[in-house]
């Protein structure tokens, strides 16, 4: 053990962490600290002990093969950005770039960004849309059984984290797929003004003038994330460019769908969501190269 | 409580503090340094910026136990360094400087941007041909220079004060980078 007292535990290996968790399952994991240091209630909780997991090697590893990259939960956003510059798609790089500033990104960890209890930042939305899976492990059990689950299954309909106490996110498996059109857009600041912020990740394939394999996620930091099935149904097979009236109709339909399914969306978020969807749809252009090749 | 030993402005210190106490509060309450803001409670206002191991960081987001064995430099000590003189020189040359409220935060954001740009140059210097080929591919994809208007806009979101516009900020950053390379400020 690197360090241990009644309140703070800094394990050096995964086994040390596991044996501690078997004895005291009610503790708080600490990695980057951007969320915990923001919360006065956490800081004043005298009962809860803090486990700093940044010294554990398994959680800071990055491994890659042809199809996906496995990223440990304590890898910082800046490190991921540097390493993934040539491997990841533009959508994920844009998302990481727009996750706060360089100074704060040095502290933000991938696991922390995914596992904030009540607030959702930009990264989970993009990762959920990319069909990312996470490996979680229940450290309160004697026999460790790591499970791979889709990232969107970590949250309930209100966007709250559903991981139980003692369950730890070990790594994230990011697929290396590339799409023809990828766009990350946001309005507002998820840390300072979460109640008015809207974040949208969108990707689709374009075959000549036809749109297919459409995926979109909309994140409202205080209400959770929404993976739009309506959008996929409406837009798969659509001819490009999409007419103004169709864009307006689709954006209205999606926004209505979102407000019906999620609680607590403010009028400004609703309007911003509609406008962002419209701006993304207006940006999609037919694949000029393949049209020219056919001609 | 944790027994903490770290270096603050070239002075070795040993303190007994609560493990989760933010550095901004340690500096004010335990060390009576009142030059940094400490009232945002981790709301990322950008005004409590300090250097930990020469890397700009927000003091309100760093708990006490993370300080073990580190070197903390406050803005007052940073003002004695060549890096500060480089930025100050550009302020004087262009006759533009941040207002007193955000002077510390903006200057340290400049420092962070310049450090990041310097790391890039160093990375390209020591690599073999194979890696250089890949980095060049990356440069073509992401642009030659690290300091762009977009970078400046994004990084200065941290300081909520609007005393300078993006054009002025970009001009200072580019001139300071040029000056640093010319004078070989390491």
């Amino acid at each position: 053990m690197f360090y241990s007292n009644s309140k703070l535990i800094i394990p050096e290996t995964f086994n040390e962490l596991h044996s501690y968790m078997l004895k005291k399952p009610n503790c708080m994991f600490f990695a980057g600290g951007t969320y915990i240091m923001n919360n006065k209630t956490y800081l004043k909780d005298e009962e809860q002990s803090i486990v700093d997991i940044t010294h554990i090697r398994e959680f800071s590893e990055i491994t890659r093969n042809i199809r996906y990259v496995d990223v440990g939960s304590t890898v910082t956003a800046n490190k991921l950005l540097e390493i993934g510059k040539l491997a990841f798609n533009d959508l994920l790089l844009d998302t990481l770039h727009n996750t706060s500033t360089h100074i704060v990104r040095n502290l933000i960890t991938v696991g922390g960004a995914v596992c904030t209890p009540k607030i959702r930042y930009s990264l989970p939305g993009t990762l959920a849309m990319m069909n990312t899976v996470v490996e979680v492990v229940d450290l309160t059990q004697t026999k460790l059984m790591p499970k791979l689950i889709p990232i969107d299954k970590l949250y309930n309909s209100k966007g709250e984290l559903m991981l139980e106490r003692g369950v730890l996110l070990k790594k994230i498996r990011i697929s290396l797929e590339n799409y023809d059109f990828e766009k990350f857009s946001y309005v507002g600041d998820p840390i300072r003004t979460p109640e008015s912020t809207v974040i949208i990740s969108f990707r689709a394939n374009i075959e000549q003038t036809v749109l297919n394999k459409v995926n979109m996620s909309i994140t409202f930091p205080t209400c959770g994330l929404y993976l739009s099935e309506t959008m996929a149904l409406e837009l798969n097979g659509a001819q490009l460019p999409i007419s103004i009236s169709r864009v307006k109709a689709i954006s209205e339909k999606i926004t209505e769908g979102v407000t019906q399914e999620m609680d607590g969306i403010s009028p400004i978020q609703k309007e911003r969501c509609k406008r962002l969807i419209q701006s993304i749809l207006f940006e999609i252009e037919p694949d000029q190269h393949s049209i020219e090749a056919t001609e | 409580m944790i027994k903490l030993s770290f270096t603050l402005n070239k002075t070795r210190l040993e303190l007994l503090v609560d493990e989760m106490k933010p550095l901004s509060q340690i500096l004010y309450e335990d060390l009576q340094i009142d030059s940094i803001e400490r009232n945002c409670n981790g709301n990322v206002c950008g005004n409590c910026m300090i250097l930990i191991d020469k890397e700009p960081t927000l003091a309100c987001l760093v708990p006490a136990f993370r300080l073990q064995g580190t070197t903390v430099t406050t803005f007052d000590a940073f003002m004695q360094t060549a890096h500060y003189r480089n930025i100050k020189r550009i302020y004087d040359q262009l006759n533009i400087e941040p207002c007193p409220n955000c002077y510390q935060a903006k200057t340290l954001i400049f420092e962070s941007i310049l450090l990041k740009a310097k790391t890039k140059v160093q990375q390209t210097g020591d690599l073999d041909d194979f890696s250089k080929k890949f980095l060049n591919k990356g440069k073509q994809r992401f642009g030659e220079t690290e300091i762009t208007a977009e970078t400046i806009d994004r990084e200065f979101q941290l300081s909520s004060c609007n005393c300078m516009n993006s054009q002025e900020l970009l001009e200072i950053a580019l001139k300071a980078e040029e000056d640093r390379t010319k004078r070989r400020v390491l």
Side-chain angles (χ1 to χ4, degrees):
Chain A
M1 197 78 74
F2 187 68
Y3 180 84
S4 171
N5 72 6
S6 60
K7 202 180 168 189
L8 174 71
I9 297 95
I10 309 178
E12 265 191 332
T13 63
F14 187 71
N15 286 341
E16 279 178 5
L17 172 70
H18 185 213
S19 52
Y20 178 79
M21 289 298 292
L22 287 173
K23 281 181 242 160
K24 288 184 179 177
N26 185 27
C27 65
M28 180 170 62
F29 298 116
F30 191 99
T34 44
Y35 182 80
I36 293 171
M37 296 305 285
N38 230 328
N39 275 276
K40 283 182 205 169
T41 46
Y42 279 125
L43 299 178
K44 285 176 184 166
D45 194 347
E46 295 289 330
E47 296 295 309
Q48 207 165 34
S49 52
I50 301 142
V51 180
D52 180 12
I53 55 169
T54 43
H55 293 265
I56 300 171
R57 196 174 52 85
E58 284 95 327
F59 296 151
S60 56
E61 281 178 345
I62 300 176
T63 49
R64 182 193 164 173
N65 69 22
I66 301 165
R67 294 182 64 186
Y68 56 78
V69 180
D70 274 343
V71 183
S73 57
T74 61
V75 172
T76 62
N78 262 348
K79 198 175 172 190
L80 192 61
L81 200 55
E82 286 294 319
I83 288 164
K85 216 163 205 179
L86 295 171
F88 293 146
N89 54 38
D90 290 346
L91 180 68
L92 187 58
L93 292 177
D94 269 357
T95 309
L96 288 167
H97 258 302
N98 289 303
T99 307
S100 200
T101 67
H102 177 76
I103 293 165
V104 183
R105 277 201 308 269
N106 262 340
L107 298 171
I108 294 175
T109 58
V110 180
V114 172
C115 291
T116 43
K118 281 179 184 167
I119 204 155
R120 298 274 75 80
Y121 298 121
S122 49
L123 198 58
T126 303
L127 291 176
M129 197 201 65
M130 289 167 65
N131 302 322
T132 305
V133 286
V134 292
E135 188 181 311
V136 291
V137 59
D138 189 354
L139 294 169
T140 55
Q141 303 294 320
T142 331
K143 196 175 179 186
L144 290 175
M145 300 279 277
K147 275 186 217 161
L148 281 173
I149 51 172
I151 205 166
D152 54 310
K153 301 283 182 235
L154 290 178
Y155 315 112
N156 63 14
S157 59
K158 288 177 185 169
E160 288 166 359
L161 188 74
M162 291 199 298
L163 280 185
E164 286 168 17
R165 283 239 169 241
V167 180
L168 182 67
L169 193 147
K170 207 174 168 188
K171 58 181 153 186
I172 296 174
R173 181 164 291 179
I174 304 169
S175 70
L176 294 171
E177 276 180 302
N178 274 304
Y179 277 61
D180 298 329
F181 180 84
E182 294 173 326
K183 183 81 184 167
F184 173 79
S185 293
Y186 72 104
V187 188
D189 186 331
I191 296 176
R192 287 183 188 145
T193 54
E195 58 291 324
S196 62
T197 304
V198 183
I199 306 156
I200 295 184
S201 305
F202 179 96
R203 71 177 183 179
N205 263 343
I206 303 168
E207 279 174 21
Q208 294 195 350
T209 58
V210 181
L211 204 63
N212 60 27
K213 284 189 182 173
V214 180
N215 287 313
M216 184 171 84
S217 77
I218 308 169
T219 309
F220 301 95
T222 47
C223 318
L225 63 95
Y226 175 79
L227 293 168
S228 179
E229 296 292 326
T230 329
M231 179 76 148
L233 290 172
E234 286 283 330
L235 285 172
N236 275 334
Q239 284 286 329
L240 294 172
I242 308 165
S243 67
I244 297 171
S245 57
R246 181 111 195 263
V247 166
K248 282 185 179 169
I250 292 169
S251 62
E252 288 277 353
K253 198 172 174 182
I254 293 167
T255 316
E256 284 306 317
V258 172
T259 35
Q260 275 171 15
E261 279 193 32
M262 297 172 88
D263 298 328
I265 296 173
S266 63
I268 190 167
Q269 279 177 319
K270 195 178 164 187
E271 189 60 30
R272 282 176 165 179
C273 174
K274 197 166 76 181
R275 302 282 168 150
L276 274 178
I277 296 168
Q278 286 177 2
S279 74
I280 291 170
L281 293 180
F282 281 130
E283 262 185 56
I284 312 173
E285 284 175 358
D287 185 4
Q288 290 299 336
H289 296 294
S290 56
I291 293 171
E292 280 162 18
T294 328
E295 281 168 0
Chain B
M1 300 291 259
I2 184 172
K3 193 181 175 192
L4 204 64
S5 73
F6 66 102
T7 312
L8 176 74
N9 300 338
K10 293 180 182 171
T11 314
R12 190 104 184 125
L13 293 174
E14 287 204 350
L15 291 173
L16 196 65
V17 287
D18 185 86
E19 294 90 347
M20 290 297 280
K21 196 172 186 179
L23 174 59
S24 53
Q25 278 184 29
I26 296 174
L27 290 176
Y28 182 68
E29 288 170 11
D30 300 273
L31 300 163
Q32 281 78 46
I33 295 172
D34 56 359
S35 62
I36 65 161
E37 290 271 342
R38 63 200 178 281
N39 300 323
C40 81
N41 293 313
N43 205 19
V44 198
C45 75
N47 288 331
C48 62
M49 218 173 293
I50 43 101
L51 299 162
I52 296 182
D53 293 332
K54 296 184 180 173
E55 188 74 37
T57 315
L58 295 172
C60 63
L61 295 180
V62 182
F65 73 87
R66 278 281 162 87
L67 293 173
Q68 197 71 266
T70 57
T71 305
V72 179
T73 313
T74 60
F75 189 71
D76 299 329
F78 175 68
M79 285 169 88
Q80 315 298 322
T81 63
H83 283 208
Y84 172 74
R85 285 196 294 276
N86 156 257
I87 299 169
K88 176 73 178 145
R89 204 179 298 122
I90 305 302
Y91 286 162
D92 294 343
Q93 251 178 44
L94 298 172
N95 208 11
I96 327 164
E97 66 175 29
C99 70
N101 291 333
C102 67
Y103 188 89
Q104 181 177 333
K106 283 215 168 84
T107 307
L108 285 173
I109 295 173
F110 277 124
E111 174 64 8
S112 142
I113 293 169
L114 293 167
L115 278 177
K116 201 178 150 206
K118 193 181 90 178
T119 322
K120 289 274 157 217
V121 175
Q122 279 178 350
Q123 270 179 6
T124 43
D126 312 333
L127 296 171
D128 54 60
D129 289 347
F130 186 73
S131 309
K132 271 180 192 165
K133 193 179 144 193
F134 272 90
L135 273 171
N136 286 336
K137 198 177 148 196
K139 273 182 187 170
Q140 280 164 14
R141 195 169 159 196
F142 297 99
E144 194 66 42
T145 170
E146 191 66 21
I147 302 171
T148 59
E150 198 192 331
T151 322
I152 294 291
D153 282 346
R154 198 186 313 119
E155 296 304 318
F156 279 93
Q157 279 175 6
L158 201 55
S159 166
S160 46
C161 179
N162 294 322
C163 63
M164 291 167 91
N165 62 36
S166 312
Q167 193 55 44
E168 289 170 339
L169 295 168
L170 178 64
E171 202 176 346
I172 293 171
L174 288 173
K175 289 251 180 201
E177 190 196 21
E178 200 184 304
D179 186 72
R180 236 171 232 207
T181 321
K182 205 165 79 183
R183 289 173 190 262
R184 296 185 184 180
V185 180
L186 298 170

